Amino acid sequence: MAATQLLTRASTHSTRAFAPQLTASSKGFSSASSASSARSHQTSHLLQSQRLGRHSVATSAIPSWVPFIGKQRKQGNNSVLNWARTTRMACQVAPAKAPSGQDIATFAGGCFWGVELAFQRVPGVTKTSVGYTAGHDKAPTYNSVCSGQTGHTEAVQVYYDPKETDYTKLLDCFFQHVDPTTLNQQGGDRGTQYRSGIYYHNEEQKQAAEKAIAEVNKKLQSNAFRRVMGTKVVSELEPASDYYSAEEYHQQYLEKGGRFSSPQSAAKGATERIRCYG
């Protein structure tokens, strides 16, 4: 019997689109004996593809025992497709505090791949991750965030050693790599999920961000800032809220090779131009 394929697409507000593809062998569901054989496998032969404009990513098979948000998985030839259409893996909330001896910072600046690599290169930064924040959905996924309906923005969270760097240097990195003058847009990426933001974790960070924004606005008015689209900072400044770590294939994506399997340097102090889509 031919394999059953399900292809769902969810369009975004930008040039990137999400297209998860689930392929399940009907041999594993058409009879009791074949179902038993299918259950003996440790993985469910689930293949996800991300089609992001010019970019595509494939994830490895996901074990069948991984918990899902949505309808409970059912067995049987008639129900498996319904399950596939309604089931989604939920991203998990990351810790709200950094490990002992380190500090935490959260920023958003459009597509999180390039922003993460910029922060990876900052001396004193010990760890970075990409994720979703400032939204209302308690179980976001890349698919749902890209729909623009969850309220989240693509974000980067940073752990750093305060003995080696400080928050003002992270703010410098943010303003060097993000256009803070465009509302709900970075380059060709448009939508609320691409809005820029600074999410402070304490009063000191808030005050430092307010000072940095004022300085950038002053430079914008005197044409002393680098070339950007607008004339005033519109990046949101909000207290940090739940931050959901994005799917694993997004993490350190450009360092790992990006679209063309061509890794970009994450070395401290690296200055090579960042190719945002790999």
Side-chain angles (χ1 to χ4, degrees), residues 4 19 30 33-34 44 116 127 139 142 160 166 195 197 202 239 241-242 246 248 264 267 271:
T4 302
S30 61
S33 59
S34 57
S44 61
E116 181 184 30
K127 182 180 179 180
Y142 183 71
Y160 63 99
D166 58 35
R195 68 188 185 274
N202 53 51
S241 57
D242 285 345
E248 180 59 31
Q264 298 182 53
T271 59

Side-chain angles (χ1 to χ4, degrees), residues 112-127:
F112 46 25
W113 295 331
V115 179
E116 181 184 30
L117 184 59
F119 281 111
Q120 285 179 272
R121 293 175 171 183
V122 176
V125 168
T126 59
K127 182 180 179 180

Side-chain angles (χ1 to χ4, degrees), residues 226-273:
R226 61 185 175 85
R227 184 177 180 181
V228 290
M229 294 183 66
T231 59
K232 182 180 179 180
V233 173
V234 296
S235 300
E236 61 185 12
L237 178 61
E238 301 287 346
S241 57
D242 285 345
Y243 170 87
Y244 296 83
S245 297
E247 295 82 351
E248 180 59 31
Y249 54 84
H250 287 301
Q251 305 298 332
Q252 296 82 51
Y253 176 72
L254 296 183
E255 180 189 10
K256 294 174 181 176
R259 177 187 181 190
F260 300 108
S261 298
S262 178
Q264 298 182 53
S265 175
K268 300 304 181 185
T271 59
E272 295 90 340
R273 183 180 67 87

Side-chain angles (χ1 to χ4, degrees), residues 107-109 119 170-178 180 196-198 235:
F107 302 91
F119 281 111
L170 300 183
L171 289 168
D172 289 342
C173 178
F174 172 81
F175 285 113
Q176 288 169 6
H177 292 88
V178 173
S196 60
I198 301 170
S235 300

Side-chain angles (χ1 to χ4, degrees), residues 53-211:
R54 296 170 295 155
H55 168 73
S56 63
V57 180
T59 66
S60 58
I62 300 174
S64 59
W65 43 262
V66 171
F68 287 91
I69 298 298
K71 293 184 178 180
Q72 183 177 3
R73 180 176 183 176
K74 301 177 181 180
Q75 300 297 325
N77 200 40
N78 295 328
S79 60
V80 65
L81 293 182
N82 289 332
W83 164 78
R85 292 188 182 100
T86 59
T87 305
R88 60 194 177 107
M89 294 182 65
C91 295
Q92 301 299 308
V93 178
K97 296 183 179 180
S100 178
Q102 301 184 53
D103 284 337
I104 187 172
T106 307
F107 302 91
C111 174
F112 46 25
W113 295 331
V115 179
E116 181 184 30
L117 184 59
F119 281 111
Q120 285 179 272
R121 293 175 171 183
V122 176
V125 168
T126 59
K127 182 180 179 180
T128 63
S129 69
V130 297
Y132 317 113
T133 196
H136 53 78
D137 190 333
K138 298 301 182 182
T141 66
Y142 183 71
N143 185 16
S144 64
V145 171
C146 281
S147 74
Q149 300 302 308
T150 71
H152 293 89
T153 184
E154 292 192 13
V156 175
Q157 195 159 89
V158 174
Y159 291 168
Y160 63 99
D161 185 344
K163 295 180 181 179
E164 296 185 27
T165 191
D166 58 35
Y167 190 67
T168 58
K169 292 181 181 178
L170 300 183
L171 289 168
D172 289 342
C173 178
F174 172 81
F175 285 113
Q176 288 169 6
H177 292 88
V178 173
D179 185 343
T181 69
T182 53
L183 184 64
N184 299 329
Q185 177 185 354
Q186 285 294 308
D189 292 330
R190 299 169 183 262
T192 56
Q193 67 271 29
Y194 302 120
R195 68 188 185 274
S196 60
I198 301 170
Y199 305 98
Y200 55 87
H201 292 260
N202 53 51
E203 186 63 24
E204 290 181 359
Q205 288 188 355
K206 179 183 179 181
Q207 293 178 5
E210 289 174 337
K211 181 179 179 180

